[in-house]
Every structure is written in structure tokens, then in C-alpha cells.
């Protein structure tokens, strides 16, 4: 039976953004300039906004939900992100797992169906917590026994370590990307967010075809990390 | 010489001065033209075949001679190609682009932030409460005369397409290709008409084989195999789908189920205001027309747009809203009442549409207001797990949020109490200052005095306890 209550399944996107002290200045200014553009590009188009849910998680010593997972057409403004502290990947992964689980149940309560969530992980540095800690948090997030485990696309610049990013994206091909050495954040960040807009719009079109696909952002100044770089 | 024999208007690219680019799609780009405000230039990415485009331009010219009332609908409600644009020196028989009429300004909506956007069907295919919250738009309620009028206007344009000789099919009646307006009453404006196809009387595409015509996902005809071009019957499917989505103000995702050969049973919610309308009761013609339109069993037997025109007129009449139909005639090519709809003996075997009472008050839509700049956005945050526990812990974290601390509870409790105390005193003062409410005011003053006395007693008691301990009593 089909009725007016039945809606398209939604495609949740989480931008998981490194907001550690190293992101202060140009990179964060760039993020804060670009996020409102993303909100407008996705939110002001009802055909795109309808099937996309977007949230922002930032992390430094701790992880915050900066923008709760939302229908961007209903979001008035994107909060400003401030950079401070260290780079705890463990906090990010733990927070994502909890947030995805909570958001999923809240959405189900409102009658929404979900495609597998996508996480766009962006970092300019290496994890400051020890390897075991962030890796175990990562394995909880990517645990295939957990039905909501997301697809993770990771993007690095600055001091980000390609091997670590490859791990974050579970060593899957064309999921981890790194900026060329010496690439300016002032170039990389706007490109990345413009790519993210395109990725969301293209992915939303695929939702309507009934077979949702996560279309990776195209970022000209970044290259895919070969899978075998993991040590 | 008739319009048919005349060479279709052709313009050489250097004669045009393209202005601002308005849109970019897979096929090409659309520009304003300097000095020609009502006309747009669509530049193809790759040169297109000239002959089918010329045939479409000639089709309209011929219709204007043979059936001017139908041509008037096409002219008023579509961006029908006006002329081909050729590039000097390009391969023979190719077109670089087209000249098209620009959609009048009323086919736009203005968002809350003041920006004007093309009024695509997407605005109408969801709960108007969501669109009001999201964009500040006041859109008509589901099953209102305005919504039915928009579908009626579309049915009349498709009727013109289908009654012409040869008939044409649009083939991609999707959200972005149909604009609507309610400024002068219900109206539609069809875009992308250069991908229309002419058909022979038995439904054979006359210019087929030379181009791929893709339907937009979610607006496609599930009877068409993947990769195949839409057929003349595809527009008939689209009309049924658009009726459900626009009049019902909902998504109605049907195609995937239909591709899986699922039998469809569609419950169409009717709001209380329209529940007694005879032309919307179970068994009314419009439901069987809708079901037959959506059927994938025998697409050729889907009802023609003309059947929709008379069925929708009956619905509008039943709602006491023939004024909407008259507004459509006045705005889009003139018209007179259609003959009463005749009940077809045919029933769709695979689709059933029935009206049901709308349940509940619907979903509430609230805007998301983030906190001010520089503040941690929300109280939700996660610290990294303590190192000792992290490596061994693989189980899922607790699904419930941590309970609020005692300090938080005390703070919120005190805050709430303070608000209540302030509110009570304000209300009392307001009553005292208003004449004619002495008795109520007296009661409130007594209440406040008792409350204040009790509070003072508690505070005194607590002070005495603290002082007692400090003084060693």
C-alpha cells in the first residue's frame, strides 16, 4: 500500500571536521565562508534538500555536534566553527558512532528511512591520541556488525598522514584523498567544500533513481591515496 | 505558401549576442539574449541534428493553421522552439542551438531570503507545511482547487500535444521541466520541449533512432525498459503521477515497486473540507482515470489527456471551483467546458487508487536555529574514552544519553522556579492595574503574599542552618 505518508528514503551526510588549533586561521576561515554556501546550494533546492540530511561534527580534544543532522532547507544558518586544541580522532569516531545511532532512531521515529550514512572526514593533522585508542574507536565506528556503520571518505592536507587516512577509509580504493605537498589550505578547503556540494547534489540524484550511490567529491588539488600505502 | 512549406526560421550564431548564462544542464547551456528580453538561447554541448528540430518548429506552425485553439495552448504554456541556431562552417545538417521563449516572470517563487527561483513542481510535491517552514512560501493545501487547477492546466497542454496531427510526446515531464504559477490562476509552463518527439498515429516515433531521450529518475515511466526512449504513452503515465504528487502534496514513490511488478494499492488522503465532494468519493471517475494512467500492463491503453481534462473539470465543479478552470482558459489558450467524463468500463489490473480520509494533523516542521558564533554548538560532545577502557571495549556505547548531573538539575529547577515566581507577580500587578477585576486581583495578591512568606521562611530556615553551623550552635 502506498499513501501520502510514504517518503523517499534519505541520504545522511556527516561532515566530520578537524577543528584542532592547526586549523585556525585560513583553513577555518575558509570553512566558515564555504559552509553557508553549502547550506544554500543544498537547502534552497527542494529536490536536493528533500532526500539529503546533513550534519557537522567537529573535533579537537573532544568532539561536538556543531550542526545536528538536518534537512538543510530548514536550517537558518550554519554555526561558525572555532579551531582550538589537539586532534583526537578517537573522540571524533566515538562521537560519530553515538550520533549516527541516535540520529537514526530519531529519524525512524519520524518515519524516515535511511540509506547508509556517509562520513566526510577532513583533517589537516595526525591524531594526537595514541594509535590503539583511535584505532579501537575507529573499529567501533566501522564495525560491520553494527548495521548503521557509515561509508567514510577521508580528505587530508597539511600534516595529515596518508597512511592514517587510508586506515580511516578502511583502505577502500578511492575513499581517501590527500592534497599535494605544499598545497595551500586557502585553495584546498574551498575546493573540497565545492566538491562536497557537487557530491551531495549528484548523490541526491541517485537517490531518486532508487539506487543511492555515494558520489565522491571531486577535488582537483587532491589525489586518491593508493591503498597499499598503509604500513 | 503555408507555414509547412516554409523553411523554418534559422538564425546564424554570429547574429546573436548571448548575455548572462541562466542555466547549465547535461544537454547544454541557456543564455539570455542581449536586446531580446523574451527570448533565450540554448547552446548545445555537441551539435544536434537539424532535421528533427526543424520538424518540431514546423509542427507548431502547422498546428497554428490546422487547430489554432490547440496551438494557442502550446504557445501560452510551453517553451516551444522558435528557431534553430546554426554555426557557420559547422557540419551540414547540424544545429548549434535553439531560440526559445523565456518563461514569464510569474513562473517563479520568492524564498524567504528574497531570492527568486523557478517554480518547479518540487515545491508542490511535499507537505506545504514543510515548504512554509523551509522557504517561507504559502502554498495551497492538498486537494485544493489551485493544485487541481495546475494539473488541469497541464492536462490541457498534453491534450493539445496528443490531439495534434502528428501527435507529440514530451517524454520528460519531471519536476524541473514543469513550472507553475498561481498569479493569474493556475498555469503551467513546460520546458525542454526541444526533446519532444513526433509520433505516427500508431505510436511510432517519427524521428527516433538519432537521439537518446532520457527520463528523469523518479519521474520516469516504469513501463519503459532501462535505456529505452520514452513512448507516446509515457506522458500519460506522467500525468497520473503528477496528479498524485501535486494534488496529494506528497512523494508517492511508485516506480521501483512497479518495476518489481508489485500490484499497487494507493491510498489518497482527502482532507475534511473535500470529503463530501461527490467527484472525489470512492468510485468517482478521477480515481479510475488515475489508476489506468499509472498502469504498466498495457501502456497504449492509458487514458488520453482529454479524459483527464473532463475528469478534473468534474472535480473542480464538485468543489465549486469552476473559476479555476475558467482562469486556466483565460490564461492559456482559451477554452469551454469539456464534455462530462464518461466512465470507462476498463479497470487497471495492477493499480488501484482510492480516496481515504486524511488522518491526523500532519507532521510539524520546525526550523533549525544554531547558536551564536563561537559557542560550542550543542551540549552533545564526546570526549575520547579513557585509555584504559578503550582498547578492550568493542561493545556498542550505551544507547541512552547520560542522565543530567545534580548540578544541572538544580540549576534548571531553580531557573524554572524563578520564572514561575516572576510570572505570578507580574500577573498580579497586571490584574491590579486593570479596572473591574478587583476580586481576582485580591485573590492573586493573597496568593503572592502566601508564596512570598513561604519562600522567606524557607530562606530564613536555610540561612539559620548555615549560620548555626558556622557559629557552632
Amino acid at each position: 500500500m502506498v499513501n501520502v505518508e510514504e517518503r523517499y528514503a534519505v541520504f545522511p551526510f556527516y561532515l566530520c571536521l578537524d577543528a584542532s588549533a592547526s586549523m585556525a586561521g585560513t583553513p577555518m576561515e575558509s570553512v566558515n565562508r564555504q559552509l553557508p554556501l553549502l547550506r544554500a546550494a543544498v537547502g534552497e533546492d527542494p529536490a536536493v534538500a528533500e532526500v539529503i540530511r546533513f550534519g557537522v561534527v567537529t573535533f579537537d580534544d573532544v568532539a561536538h555536534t556543531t550542526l545536528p543532522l538536518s534537512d538543510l532547507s530548514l536550517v537558518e544558518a550554519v554555526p561558525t566553527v572555532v579551531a582550538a586544541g589537539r586532534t583526537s580522532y578517537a573522540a571524533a569516531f566515538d562521537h560519530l558512532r553515538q550520533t549516527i545511532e541516535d540520529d537514526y532512531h530519531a529519524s525512524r521515529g519520524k518515519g524516515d528511512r535511511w540509506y547508509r550514512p556517509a562520513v566526510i572526514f577532513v583533517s589537516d593533522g595526525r591524531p594526537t591520541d595514541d594509535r590503539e585508542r583511535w584505532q579501537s574507536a575507529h573499529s567501533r565506528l566501522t564495525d560491520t556488525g553494527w548495521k548503521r556503520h557509515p561509508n567514510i571518505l577521508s580528505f587530508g592536507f597539511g600534516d595529515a598522514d596518508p597512511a592514517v587516512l587510508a586506515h580511516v577509509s578502511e583502505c577502500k580504493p578511492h575513499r581517501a584523498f590527500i592534497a599535494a605537498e605544499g598545497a595551500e589550505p586557502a585553495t584546498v578547503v574551498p575546493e573540497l567544500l565545492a566538491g562536497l556540494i557537487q557530491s551531495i547534489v549528484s548523490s541526491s540524484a541517485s537517490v531518486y533513481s532508487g539506487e543511492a550511490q555515494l558520489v565522491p567529491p571531486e577535488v582537483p588539488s587532491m589525489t586518491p591515496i593508493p591503498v597499499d600505502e598503509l604500513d | 505558401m503555408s507555414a509547412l512549406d516554409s523553411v523554418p526560421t534559422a538564425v546564424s550564431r554570429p547574429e546573436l549576442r548571448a548575455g548572462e548564462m541562466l542555466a547549465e544542464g547535461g544537454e547544454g547551456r541557456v543564455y539570455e539574449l542581449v536586446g531580446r528580453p523574451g527570448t533565450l538561447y540554448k547552446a548545445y554541448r555537441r551539435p544536434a541534428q537539424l532535421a528533427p528540430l526543424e520538424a518540431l518548429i514546423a509542427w507548431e506552425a502547422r498546428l497554428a493553421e490546422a487547430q489554432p485553439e490547440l496551438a494557442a495552448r502550446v504557445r501560452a504554456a510551453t517553451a516551444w522552439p522558435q528557431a534553430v541556431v546554426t554555426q557557420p562552417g559547422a557540419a551540414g545538417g547540424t544545429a548549434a542551438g535553439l531560440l526559445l521563449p523565456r518563461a514569464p516572470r510569474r513562473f517563479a517563487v520568492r524564498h524567504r531570503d528574497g531570492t527568486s527561483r523557478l517554480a518547479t513542481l518540487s515545491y508542490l510535491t511535499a507537505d506545504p507545511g514543510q515548504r512554509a517552514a523551509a522557504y517561507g512560501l504559502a502554498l495551497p493545501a492538498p486537494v485544493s482547487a489551485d493544485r487541481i487547477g495546475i494539473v488541469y492546466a497541464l492536462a490541457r497542454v498534453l491534450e493539445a500535444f496528443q490531439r495534434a496531427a502528428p501527435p507529440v510526446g514530451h517524454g520528460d515531464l519531471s519536476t524541473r521541466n514543469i513550472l507553475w504559477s498561481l498569479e493569474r490562476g493556475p498555469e503551467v509552463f513546460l520546458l525542454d520541449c526541444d526533446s519532444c518527439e513526433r509520433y505516427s498515429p500508431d505510436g511510432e516515433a517519427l524521428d527516433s533512432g538519432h537521439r537518446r531521450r532520457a527520463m528523469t529518475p523518479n519521474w520516469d515511466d516504469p513501463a519503459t525498459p532501462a535505456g529505452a526512449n520514452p513512448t507516446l504513452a509515457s506522458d500519460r503515465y506522467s500525468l497520473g503521477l503528477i496528479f498524485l504528487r501535486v494534488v496529494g502534496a506528497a512523494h508517492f514513490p511508485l516506480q521501483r515497486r512497479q518495476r518489481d511488478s508489485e500490484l499497487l494499492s494507493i491510498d489518497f488522503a482527502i482532507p475534511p473540507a473535500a470529503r463530501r465532494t461527490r467527484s472525489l468519493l470512492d468510485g468517482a471517475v478521477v480515481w479510475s482515470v488515475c489508476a489506468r494512467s499509472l498502469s504498466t500492463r498495457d501502456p497504449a491503453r492509458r487514458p488520453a489527456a482529454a479524459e483527464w481534462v473532463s475528469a478534473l473539470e468534474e472535480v473542480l465543479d464538485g468543489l465549486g471551483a469552476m473559476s479555476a478552470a475558467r482562469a486556466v482558459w483565460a490564461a492559456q489558450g482559451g477554452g469551454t467546458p469539456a464534455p462530462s467524463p464518461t466512465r470507462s468500463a476498463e479497470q487497471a489490473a495492477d493499480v488501484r487508487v482510492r480516496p481515504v480520509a486524511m488522518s491526523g494533523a500532519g507532521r510539524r516542521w520546525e526550523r533549525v536555529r544554531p547558536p551564536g558564533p563561537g559557542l560550542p554548538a550543542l551540549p552533545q560532545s564526546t570526549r575520547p574514552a579513557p585509555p584504559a577502557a578503550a582498547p578492550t571495549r568493542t561493545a556498542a556505547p550505551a544507547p541512552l544519553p547520560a542522565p543530567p548531573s545534580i548540578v544541572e538539575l538544580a540549576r534548571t529547577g531553580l531557573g524554572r522556579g524563578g520564572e514561575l515566581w516572576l510570572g505570578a507577580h507580574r500577573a498580579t500587578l497586571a490584574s491590579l492595574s486593570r479596572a473591574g477585576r478587583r476580586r481576582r486581583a485580591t485573590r492573586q495578591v493573597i496568593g503572592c503574599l502566601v508564596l512570598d512568606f513561604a519562600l522567606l521562611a524557607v530562606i530564613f530556615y536555610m540561612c539559620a542552618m548555615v549560620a548555626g553551623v558556622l557559629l557552632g550552635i
Side-chain angles (χ1 to χ4, degrees):
Chain A
M1 204 256 293
V2 186
N3 61 28
V4 294
E5 302 295 325
E6 188 164 332
R7 291 187 292 274
Y8 308 124
V10 296
F11 201 155
F13 276 79
Y14 290 89
L15 173 63
C16 182
L17 188 67
D18 184 343
S20 61
S22 58
M23 286 284 284
T26 313
M28 215 34 117
E29 282 164 19
S30 212
V31 164
N32 286 326
R33 247 195 325 273
Q34 300 289 319
L35 275 180
L37 302 180
L38 185 144
R39 187 209 64 83
V42 176
E44 301 289 328
D45 185 339
V48 177
E50 197 114 77
V51 292
I52 297 294
R53 296 293 175 268
F54 184 79
V56 181
V57 164
T58 53
F59 64 97
D60 41 75
D61 293 303
V62 294
H64 300 281
T65 298
T66 303
L67 176 71
L69 192 73
S70 311
D71 171 345
L72 281 180
S73 72
L74 294 168
V75 172
E76 284 188 351
V78 185
T80 311
V81 186
V82 179
R86 286 169 302 168
T87 315
S88 171
Y89 278 25
F93 299 144
D94 278 338
H95 188 74
L96 273 172
R97 160 129 192 181
Q98 185 67 54
T99 305
I100 290 172
E101 186 69 12
D102 292 347
D103 289 345
Y104 174 77
H105 290 293
S107 289
R108 289 296 286 190
K110 287 188 237 161
D112 284 341
R113 291 169 297 120
W114 270 30
Y115 287 107
R116 182 168 306 288
V119 167
I120 312 295
F121 184 87
V122 178
S123 177
D124 76 331
R126 293 154 198 261
T128 49
D129 31 20
D130 61 60
R131 176 186 288 255
E132 264 184 5
R133 224 163 99 192
W134 72 260
Q135 288 193 349
S136 77
H138 180 261
S139 62
R140 286 192 291 276
L141 178 65
T142 52
D143 175 13
T144 48
W146 176 47
K147 277 191 179 163
R148 264 74 73 186
H149 68 268
N151 287 313
I152 307 176
L153 291 166
S154 55
F155 296 87
F157 55 95
D159 290 333
D161 181 347
V164 168
L165 291 177
H167 184 101
V168 169
S169 290
E170 301 175 81
C171 301
K172 290 179 180 165
H174 287 274
R175 289 280 180 83
F177 302 83
I178 187 95
E181 216 167 308
E184 284 297 315
T187 317
V188 175
V189 174
E191 266 185 19
L192 178 55
L193 281 152
L196 180 55
I197 293 174
Q198 205 42 54
S199 155
I200 290 177
V201 170
S202 305
S203 302
S204 79
S206 76
V207 167
Y208 288 117
S209 70
E211 286 172 7
Q213 285 176 0
L214 173 56
V215 183
E218 278 180 28
V219 190
S221 62
M222 288 186 163
T223 48
I225 298 170
V227 174
D228 56 8
E229 273 202 48
L230 182 66
D231 56 16
Chain B
M1 192 170 79
S2 81
L4 241 196
D5 305 320
S6 67
V7 177
T9 327
V11 182
S12 177
R13 177 66 188 83
E15 290 172 31
L16 302 172
R17 271 185 63 203
E20 193 191 335
M21 186 175 81
L22 298 179
E24 184 168 15
E27 278 191 324
R29 295 174 172 156
V30 177
Y31 297 90
E32 282 183 333
L33 280 178
V34 178
R36 296 178 74 167
T39 308
L40 299 177
Y41 168 47
K42 178 171 181 176
Y44 289 124
R45 262 179 220 289
R46 285 176 292 277
Q49 285 197 38
L50 191 63
L53 296 173
E54 285 180 337
L56 284 180
I57 295 169
W59 175 87
E60 200 252 7
R62 179 184 188 157
L63 189 67
E65 285 190 347
Q67 292 161 294
E69 72 285 2
L70 297 184
R73 295 186 200 178
V74 173
R75 204 161 292 157
T78 71
W80 200 263
Q82 293 172 331
V84 286
V85 177
T86 52
Q87 186 75 47
T94 63
L98 281 175
L99 296 190
L100 307 163
R102 185 176 193 163
R105 286 189 191 283
R106 62 183 179 280
F107 290 95
V109 291
R110 195 170 289 277
H111 283 197
R112 184 185 277 114
D113 63 4
T115 54
S116 178
R117 285 160 194 273
L118 286 180
T120 60
L121 277 194
S122 296
Y123 288 99
L124 299 173
T125 57
D127 180 355
Q130 198 280 347
R131 298 299 188 245
Y135 308 117
L137 296 171
L139 297 175
V143 202
S144 58
D146 280 340
R147 286 178 183 265
I148 296 165
I150 286 167
V151 181
Y152 174 70
L154 174 64
R156 277 172 36 95
V157 183
L158 298 185
E159 184 189 18
F161 282 2
Q162 293 167 8
R163 275 179 44 197
V168 300
H170 184 283
D172 191 16
L173 294 171
S174 60
T175 169
R176 289 180 203 279
N177 286 341
I178 303 174
L179 307 182
W180 56 272
S181 169
L182 290 166
E183 202 177 297
R184 301 178 174 176
E187 280 180 273
V188 291
F189 195 84
L190 269 56
L191 306 181
D192 263 2
C193 293
D194 51 327
S195 57
C196 279
E197 178 77 65
R198 301 178 309 135
Y199 292 88
S200 72
D202 56 354
E204 207 66 34
L206 294 178
D207 301 304
S208 70
H210 59 81
R211 56 183 169 166
R212 167 85 179 103
R213 298 161 65 229
M215 292 188 92
T216 303
N218 185 39
W219 297 89
D220 51 338
D221 172 7
T224 307
N229 280 348
T231 65
L232 187 54
S234 296
D235 283 358
R236 300 184 179 201
Y237 178 87
S238 302
L239 189 49
L241 187 68
I242 289 167
F243 171 83
L244 284 184
R245 290 181 176 174
V246 169
V247 179
H251 293 171
F252 288 107
L254 305 181
Q255 287 95 327
R256 194 167 172 194
R257 291 159 184 263
Q258 293 192 281
R259 288 222 168 75
D260 294 344
S261 304
E262 221 176 277
L263 298 184
L264 277 190
S265 172
I266 300 169
D267 278 0
F268 192 90
I270 304 287
R275 210 165 289 162
R276 295 235 169 82
T277 305
R278 276 187 57 182
S279 47
L280 287 171
L281 292 179
D282 200 4
V285 173
V286 69
W287 307 120
S288 90
V289 171
C290 189
R292 286 189 290 125
S293 299
L294 296 170
S295 173
T296 53
R297 289 284 164 89
D298 189 356
R301 299 181 84 87
R302 289 173 180 159
E307 274 195 63
W308 273 103
V309 169
S310 52
L312 291 175
E313 264 181 38
E314 190 185 56
V315 174
L316 286 171
D317 197 16
L319 289 168
M322 272 309 278
S323 56
R326 283 192 290 274
V328 175
W329 304 339
Q332 304 208 299
T336 49
S340 287
T342 45
R343 181 171 302 281
S344 166
E346 277 184 63
Q347 291 293 330
D350 52 341
V351 185
R352 192 191 62 160
V353 186
R354 62 169 191 164
V356 295
M358 191 174 276
S359 62
R363 189 162 164 177
R364 285 191 60 210
W365 303 93
E366 280 165 2
R367 287 173 67 72
V368 180
R369 291 184 179 83
L375 294 170
L378 284 171
Q380 308 157 354
S381 63
T382 305
R383 293 191 170 274
T392 49
R393 219 178 62 180
T394 48
L400 288 172
S405 72
I406 290 182
V407 177
E408 269 172 44
L409 279 176
R411 193 184 296 158
T412 49
L414 276 177
R416 187 71 53 81
E419 276 169 24
L420 283 173
W421 185 87
L422 262 179
H425 284 75
R426 276 201 191 119
T428 308
L429 280 176
S431 298
L432 279 173
S433 63
R434 218 173 286 164
R437 306 182 77 175
R438 292 286 171 222
R439 185 174 292 177
R440 188 173 162 195
T442 314
R443 268 208 311 270
Q444 283 179 330
V445 169
I446 293 169
C448 277
L449 283 174
V450 171
L451 179 71
D452 291 349
F453 182 76
L455 264 175
L456 275 173
V458 169
I459 290 168
F460 178 77
Y461 176 75
M462 286 171 75
C463 289
M465 295 282 284
V466 174
V469 171
L470 287 177
L471 295 173
I473 300 170

